[in-house]
Amino acid sequence: MTNTTTPSSTDSFAPDTGVLRTMRKLHLPQKLRNRELALLLFACVINSVAIVLVQLGATGAVDLDLVYLGAGLSALVIGLHVCLRYVAPKADPLLLPTATVLNGLGIAMIYRIDLAKGLVGWSAASTRQITWSAVAIIAAIVVILVIRNYRVLFRYTYVFGALAFVLLLLPLVPGIGREVSGARVWISLGGLGSFQPGEIAKIALAVFFAGYLVRTRDSLSMVGKKFLGIRFPRLRDLGPILVVWALSMLIIVFQHDMGTALLYFGLFTVMLYIATGRLSWILIGFALFGGGAFFAAQTLTYVQGRFQNWLDAFSPQVYDASGGSYQLVQGIFGLAQGGLIGTGLGQGRPQLTPLSQSDYIIASLGEELGLAGLFAILGLYLLFVSRGIRIGFAGQDDFGKLFAIGLAFTVALQVFIMVGGVTRVIPLTGLTTPFLAAGGSSLVANWIIVALLLRVSDSIKTGPASEVSA
Amino acid sequence: MNRELKRVSIVVLAMFAALFLSTTVIQVAQADALRLDPRNTRALYDSYDTERGPILAGGTVIAQSVPTGDQYAFQRQYPQGELYAPVTGYFSPTQGSAGIEQYMNDYLSGTSNTQFLDTINRIVAGQAPKGAAVEVTIDPVVQQAAFDALGDRQGGVVAIEPATGRILAMVSTPTYDPNVLASHDSKAVIDAYKTLESDDLKPLSNRATSGDMNPPGSSFKIIVAAAALASGDYTPESEFPNPVSLQLPGSSSEVFNWTRAACGPGETVTLREAIRQSCNVPMAELAIQLGDDAIREQAEKFGFNSEISVPFPAGKSIYPSKLDDAQTGLTGFGQYEVRATPLQMAMTSAAIGNDGDLMAPTLIDRVTGRNLEVLSSFEPEVMTETLNEESCVALTEMMINSVSDGQSNGARIEGVDVAGKTGTAQNGTGEPYSLWFTGFAPADNPEVAVAVVVENDGNLGHHSSGNIVAAPIAKKVIEAVLNK
């Protein structure tokens, strides 16, 4: 170190070409991560502003306690971001900020309804939602740190299949299973509240479907007879879809949960189609589920009721009936009240709608943020899903592609089932609106999906910044 | 695999497109209809939160909202409720509304289209919602005078500014206190409403603009006279046979003058004399000569047989259709099935006093927003040209005679020409009379046209008459206007 006193510009770089090389190598990922950080900070600002606006709108004063809690969550997502810099520097930069905004808007709206109902402390859904958000983000951090290479999941395909099966059946086990508003999809965690294992099961199922289909797709796609220009599978290859179909029907019959059944079955059918490239699977899937749903609508009164509430929501008999369309119509009234620009955060009456923090969170948001706000939220979902699909396009191996698509599609399908249910596109069924709705299991599952998508996207060689032609 | 992915992406896009569409349909296309759904309690709660605009009469607050701590946020108050009830009506957050409260609700609640920009500004500025102020045309002095003059009688008074149609007074007695119907205790409101509704004196009915319609009796003679003058075949000096009684054609009924004598000493009597002495026989003769179509045409020009809103709807005054000669004869002095409201008779006088131009009557002067910006203001508007000027002058002269030196002298005011006509209408054998006066003053340049009806004989039995009971009330109303 002779020239420390008079450093020249050329000398200072000369001795350390190794660092330069590393920096060049890291240049692209750093740019991605910096972009992510900027968006993430913006997302945290949006969330804090939303909470303050809720307070000003509903009470006229600012209560900093919740802002501090929000700041804690911000710290956690930034922690996740820092982890990504080390273990997944090339991961997609838009997924994390998108999930953060959705999660934050959900908390703001749940908090807003707590304020209207005068709920504070642990009885307030917002407190629990913040706690669960923390748990969920930590879970995502753990997943991203532990699973350094998603291909290990491929190895455990059948383990995940069995896990999904067990998780799904847990609520039916006497003693730990619990029934909430007619659906038996919960397990009791003692003092910690309850958990919906089906939410975690959907991730296990995505792993299982992807692994299974990659292994068996040749036999599922190559063999079979052609009919009307479409190649139909052999009878014995119908096995897997029949099994998933039977599982879905069991969920409908025993757990009274049409939404979950539709989600699993839709997920499997789409993954099957992508893996095999055979349209016939879609047709068979539609026929099976349509037939099952039709049969259920004829025989199961709760399914019947759902269809009636959907088709004839505004008729006085259906509206006044027990388990009738009252909730649905109240949600629609809320949306109508919001109109184009909304009543403003904290200034509407979303609490008039039953389940306004969970099933009808989208109606609550639509009331206070208006159509403009709903378009923004749907836009965020679309962005999230499209990033997932993009990872599928650019994926390096079939398992990764299929897995990423499966994860992205569960989010898309869940949004469609919930928002479509609230706005009467389809009959309403009890799923959760990803990231927004109050509920711990759903948050944990969706944040794990974020982590897994990040992990898969990191392995894409060309990097998400440059387009990969399909 | 990527080909399938592309197709799935399109399906995902289509799913989201369906959601964009469905939210747009609900939040934009169907939003207005959904807000009007009676099961939608949000609109109702919104109306509680709004500080409803006040109703003002010449600077006097006659209805206002004051903050309360309860769920409805504001309590509607009527400082002189009984006096102004026929104008304001009432507003209950749960049990409906009436009067100006009902018909100007869009403005008062801040939901009218003209307040849309204000609503946006309010949301941006974070201000509390507030409705617009409605200023009515009522003159508190005239209103009070009419109310005091009616006293404990059962009836109605309307005073109109002839040149503009502005309603200066609208009184109906017995009245009610709208404060009891604005209570936030729904049960108390329902009980109070039931009590008022079952009251034989019908305090909820607005006798000034509707109520149980009364036959106008002799006050209708000015309309028959107007029809005669308008035909061009008659003048005030036209003569009619003057018998003690008239056998109606095709009928066994006989018509008498109220004196049960001939109308003056002569063989014949002029139209002028018939009006001055309020004789029935010559007016029946005139009516039969004119025919019911001519009379109906003239009556409809003054507003009979049509809906009038001020802005709440007034009862339709009636000149019946398809009359035979006997029935037409009876309508010559406002009997048979002719029915009128004080509003209608005041409009008639106002039109005659305004050279035949009938101005559309209204209670609304101005509507002002939160920053005193004028959202809507009243413009005088000619509703109908009822009668030519020449006929108006002749008719006015006859009406002046009737007050200064005739059967309507109860309305005479020293130093002022009052043009007017009384009426004492029968409601059937044994039934009490409906007592009327309508007119305007000063006759050459009228500042006010007034109509008074007193039901139930004015509590005096069958010795009463329009001149004894109704004319002095009208006189006090006219004095209240002129003394200002």
Side-chain angles (χ1 to χ4, degrees):
Chain A
M1 303 294 270
T2 52
N3 53 357
T4 42
T5 47
T6 54
S8 72
S9 58
T10 45
D11 292 319
S12 64
F13 283 101
D16 212 350
T17 47
V19 171
L20 260 186
R21 220 177 309 133
T22 318
M23 273 182 68
R24 252 198 311 277
K25 210 171 76 185
L26 282 174
H27 178 68
L28 182 66
Q30 287 308 341
K31 211 165 83 184
L32 287 177
R33 295 275 72 75
N34 289 343
R35 198 187 297 170
E36 180 181 74
L37 181 62
L39 287 171
L40 207 50
L41 291 174
F42 186 49
C44 292
V45 169
I46 292 176
N47 293 345
S48 310
V49 168
I51 285 173
V52 170
L53 281 178
V54 160
Q55 292 176 337
L56 285 176
T59 67
V62 179
D63 170 15
L64 285 175
D65 285 358
L66 207 92
V67 181
Y68 294 146
L69 287 175
L73 287 186
S74 303
L76 277 177
V77 287
I78 289 171
L80 177 53
H81 161 79
V82 171
C83 292
L84 288 178
R85 282 190 180 257
Y86 287 102
V87 303
K90 288 184 290 175
D92 189 289
L94 294 178
L95 289 169
L96 184 54
T98 310
T100 304
V101 173
L102 288 169
N103 197 161
L105 286 180
I107 289 173
M109 184 43 68
I110 292 163
Y111 174 57
R112 186 259 167 281
I113 291 159
D114 283 337
L115 285 180
K117 292 180 172 173
L119 297 174
V120 287
W122 197 247
S123 62
S126 52
T127 318
R128 278 175 278 149
Q129 183 79 348
I130 290 172
T131 313
W132 275 113
S133 300
V135 171
I137 297 165
I138 291 169
I141 293 176
V142 170
V143 167
I144 205 88
L145 289 178
V146 170
I147 303 174
R148 291 299 177 92
N149 183 347
Y150 66 87
R151 290 183 192 88
V152 296
L153 299 173
F154 184 60
R155 232 181 285 160
Y156 299 109
T157 300
Y158 292 97
V159 174
F160 278 102
L163 178 68
F165 196 68
V166 170
L167 284 171
L168 279 176
L169 293 184
L170 269 183
L172 294 177
V173 176
I176 50 172
R178 279 183 51 210
E179 191 173 310
V180 177
S181 52
R184 196 175 174 86
V185 294
W186 302 82
I187 56 166
S188 172
L189 295 182
L192 292 171
S194 50
F195 200 81
Q196 236 177 318
E199 288 284 349
I200 305 295
K202 77 184 174 193
I203 301 172
L205 277 178
V207 177
F208 169 65
F209 291 161
Y212 171 79
L213 289 170
V214 166
R215 285 190 167 90
T216 57
R217 65 190 179 128
D218 286 350
S219 68
L220 291 176
S221 61
M222 297 305 175
V223 215
K225 285 206 175 78
K226 260 200 164 180
F227 181 69
L228 292 174
I230 299 170
R231 190 177 292 279
F232 281 88
R234 289 180 305 186
L235 210 54
R236 65 170 190 235
D237 291 332
L238 280 173
I241 197 168
L242 286 175
V243 168
V244 179
W245 177 76
L247 186 71
S248 304
M249 290 301 134
L250 287 176
I251 292 170
I252 290 181
V253 174
F254 291 106
Q255 299 190 334
H256 286 189
D257 190 359
M258 229 171 24
T260 304
L262 179 59
L263 179 67
Y264 294 164
F265 195 72
L267 173 66
F268 181 68
T269 311
V270 164
M271 289 177 77
L272 187 56
Y273 168 69
I274 293 172
T276 61
R278 295 252 301 252
L279 205 60
S280 58
W281 286 121
I282 298 267
L283 298 178
I284 292 168
F286 264 116
L288 281 174
F289 197 84
F294 181 77
F295 184 71
Q298 298 297 312
T299 52
L300 297 173
T301 47
Y302 93 95
V303 181
Q304 231 166 12
R306 290 283 164 91
F307 271 86
Q308 206 168 31
N309 291 350
W310 172 49
L311 293 171
D312 210 9
F314 284 89
S315 93
Q317 294 94 319
V318 179
Y319 179 82
D320 291 326
S322 159
S325 62
Y326 174 81
Q327 298 181 353
L328 181 65
V329 169
Q330 287 303 316
I332 288 174
F333 284 157
L335 285 171
Q337 194 72 6
L340 205 57
I341 54 171
T343 60
L345 277 174
Q347 296 182 10
R349 295 188 177 76
Q351 72 275 11
L352 293 180
T353 307
L355 303 176
S356 51
Q357 294 170 317
S358 49
D359 286 14
Y360 290 91
I361 187 99
I362 204 78
S364 306
L365 286 161
E367 179 170 352
E368 299 213 322
L369 298 176
L371 185 66
L374 277 196
F375 269 33
I377 288 169
L378 289 174
L380 284 173
Y381 278 127
L382 194 54
L383 177 67
F384 187 90
V385 172
S386 69
R387 295 315 283 190
I389 291 176
R390 202 163 169 279
I391 295 163
F393 269 119
Q396 292 303 296
D397 62 303
D398 284 352
F399 174 74
K401 283 166 86 92
L402 214 45
F403 184 45
I405 288 296
L407 294 178
F409 192 74
T410 56
V411 174
L413 193 54
Q414 222 166 324
V415 170
F416 178 72
I417 290 171
M418 283 317 294
V419 182
V422 170
T423 59
R424 284 180 76 203
V425 178
I426 54 168
L428 183 73
T429 59
L431 273 180
T432 57
T433 316
F435 300 110
L436 290 177
S441 4
S442 161
L443 272 179
V444 171
N446 285 307
W447 273 101
I448 291 177
I449 288 177
V450 173
L452 291 169
L453 283 175
L454 286 169
R455 172 51 72 207
V456 179
S457 67
D458 180 53
S459 68
I460 296 167
K461 256 195 194 130
T462 42
S466 59
E467 288 298 330
V468 174
S469 70
Chain B
M1 203 180 239
N2 282 352
R3 187 176 58 110
E4 287 76 34
L5 255 176
K6 225 183 245 172
R7 286 182 183 165
V8 169
S9 312
I10 290 166
V11 171
V12 168
L13 213 58
M15 278 165 28
F16 274 89
L19 300 183
F20 281 114
L21 185 69
S22 68
T23 47
T24 308
V25 167
I26 291 174
Q27 297 202 272
V28 179
Q30 298 177 341
D32 285 341
L34 288 166
R35 277 184 212 135
L36 289 178
D37 193 302
R39 294 168 292 193
N40 188 347
T41 49
R42 282 173 172 84
L44 189 66
Y45 284 120
D46 270 359
S47 70
Y48 302 162
D49 267 4
T50 303
E51 182 181 350
R52 204 173 164 78
I55 304 176
L56 306 159
T60 305
V61 175
I62 60 175
Q64 63 188 350
S65 285
V66 292
T68 58
D70 69 1
Q71 57 161 326
Y72 302 111
F74 291 98
Q75 168 70 55
R76 199 67 169 159
Q77 281 183 352
Y78 303 92
Q80 299 175 74
E82 298 198 332
L83 175 58
Y84 288 102
V87 178
T88 57
Y90 58 88
F91 174 82
S92 153
T94 52
Q95 302 298 319
S97 56
I100 295 282
E101 292 278 30
Q102 182 184 1
Y103 284 87
M104 294 299 281
N105 184 55
D106 279 0
Y107 282 113
L108 290 167
S109 65
T111 54
S112 74
N113 289 332
T114 53
Q115 280 147 286
F116 178 71
L117 283 177
D118 181 58
T119 308
I120 302 248
N121 285 336
R122 175 179 74 67
I123 289 169
V124 172
Q127 289 171 312
K130 191 175 176 184
V134 172
E135 294 176 25
V136 295
T137 55
I138 298 289
D139 181 328
V141 175
V142 183
Q143 178 83 358
Q144 188 69 54
F147 187 75
D148 292 345
L150 259 178
D152 57 3
R153 298 180 189 90
Q154 178 182 327
V157 175
V158 169
I160 297 178
E161 197 170 72
T164 59
R166 297 167 82 246
I167 297 173
L168 301 175
M170 180 184 284
V171 171
S172 174
T173 54
T175 180
Y176 66 97
D177 182 3
N179 286 303
V180 301
L181 297 179
S183 163
H184 289 174
D185 178 350
S186 293
K187 195 182 166 303
V189 171
I190 293 168
D191 287 349
Y193 189 85
K194 279 185 183 154
T195 309
L196 287 168
E197 206 176 34
S198 60
D199 191 326
D200 288 340
L201 296 176
K202 297 186 181 162
L204 286 177
S205 78
N206 186 343
R207 290 177 167 85
T209 60
S210 41
D212 291 341
M213 298 283 203
N214 290 282
S218 299
S219 63
F220 191 74
K221 286 172 182 167
I222 58 175
I223 293 165
V224 179
L229 297 172
S231 70
D233 301 335
Y234 300 86
T235 68
E237 313 312 326
S238 299
E239 298 194 353
F240 300 88
N242 185 20
V244 171
S245 76
L246 172 71
Q247 177 85 38
L248 288 171
S251 159
S252 60
S253 311
E254 275 185 296
V255 170
F256 293 92
N257 294 322
W258 66 278
T259 52
R260 295 257 159 188
C263 194
E267 281 296 306
T268 59
V269 59
T270 59
L271 176 58
R272 182 190 304 281
E273 270 308 289
I275 295 286
R276 187 180 72 80
Q277 296 195 41
S278 198
C279 298
N280 294 342
V281 172
M283 292 309 291
E285 291 169 337
L286 169 59
I288 293 167
Q289 286 174 25
L290 282 169
D292 61 329
D293 288 340
I295 301 172
R296 188 179 308 106
E297 190 189 338
Q298 186 62 52
E300 287 180 355
K301 281 183 179 168
F302 284 120
F304 278 80
N305 297 341
S306 59
E307 303 272 2
I308 294 157
S309 45
V310 291
F312 54 81
K316 197 195 271 184
S317 297
I318 294 160
Y319 186 86
S321 54
K322 290 182 192 147
L323 300 179
D324 63 25
D325 278 354
Q327 293 161 342
T328 305
L330 290 171
T331 67
F333 48 99
Q335 293 287 168
Y336 187 56
E337 287 171 0
V338 183
R339 295 291 180 274
T341 62
L343 175 68
Q344 175 57 63
M345 295 315 288
M347 284 162 63
T348 306
S349 287
I352 296 166
N354 195 37
D355 297 334
D357 286 346
L358 174 61
M359 307 306 287
T362 185
L363 275 169
I364 307 303
D365 208 6
R366 276 201 313 178
V367 181
T368 53
R370 81 164 63 222
N371 301 319
L372 301 179
E373 74 279 18
V374 176
L375 298 174
S376 161
S377 70
F378 165 72
E379 293 293 333
E381 183 195 339
V382 177
M383 196 167 129
T384 331
E385 288 170 18
T386 58
L387 195 61
N388 63 57
E389 205 176 324
E390 194 187 344
S391 302
C392 284
V393 170
L395 189 51
T396 303
E397 204 185 315
M398 289 192 278
M399 289 168 72
I400 294 172
N401 281 343
S402 172
V403 173
S404 63
D405 186 24
Q407 264 312 305
S408 307
N409 60 12
R412 201 156 59 194
I413 299 173
E414 217 44 61
V416 179
D417 276 344
V418 178
K421 184 72 197 78
T422 52
T424 305
Q426 296 177 7
N427 288 293
T429 322
E431 293 294 317
Y433 294 154
S434 298
L435 311 174
W436 286 88
F437 178 90
T438 185
F440 54 91
D444 53 344
N445 184 20
E447 289 177 34
V448 60
V450 63
V452 176
V453 70
V454 175
E455 297 170 349
N456 197 24
D457 292 333
N459 307 340
L460 293 177
H462 272 195
H463 300 295
S464 66
S465 72
N467 196 35
I468 295 173
V469 176
I473 295 171
K475 177 183 168 179
K476 286 187 179 134
V477 175
I478 293 168
E479 283 173 341
V481 175
L482 300 185
N483 283 345
K484 288 201 312 152

